[in-house]
Amino acid sequence: MSNNSKVKIIPCSGMGKVYGLMSREATLQTVTKLCPEQAETICLAYLVTGDKEAKMRIAEQPCLTIDGCPMLCAAKSVAAMGGDVKERFKVLDVVKEHRGVQPGTATALTEGGWTIVDDIAARLEAKVREVAGEGR
């Protein structure tokens, strides 16, 4: 699968927030360990600043977004730049399923936080494999 045909996973920036850290860690786990041949990531900052190469890489390509908060900055930005958003993941939805777990801070995750990241990454992996199997 060539780089441009890989499923794009774009996490929110979420700097200074634990949920942003979790979105970035789940993305990295997915693109480097779980699906390196089928998925890649693009920095959201390049998209929101109008970087031509980043915009070309997502144009009409299958994209998954993962946001740490209800503002959905990644999902909205990718859609506005022409990405074909196949699914919008929200960290908070998964965190709610792990009631009582303290995920950590904006700079460090707890063991429970890493468990949630693993859960999110598994969901991303499943969706990447489904989307990649669509024959793009």
Side-chain angles (χ1 to χ4, degrees), residues 15-86:
M15 302 306 284
K17 297 182 170 68
V18 68
Y19 303 129
L21 175 61
M22 295 170 79
S23 71
R24 294 188 305 277
E25 291 292 350
T27 298
L28 289 174
Q29 186 173 331
T30 305
V31 302
T32 61
K33 295 179 181 169
L34 301 175
C35 308
E37 299 300 319
Q38 296 93 13
E40 67 176 344
T41 188
I42 296 173
C43 178
L44 181 61
Y46 283 124
L47 292 174
V48 297
T49 58
D51 181 87
K52 288 181 182 179
E53 183 180 336
K55 190 175 174 181
M56 284 177 42
R57 288 176 61 198
I58 68 159
E60 299 179 18
Q61 293 296 311
C63 300
L64 307 178
T65 60
I66 178 160
D67 284 287
C69 78
M71 298 292 287
L72 302 176
C73 296
K76 291 176 184 175
S77 297
V78 170
M81 294 294 169
D84 180 10
V85 180
K86 295 292 188 184

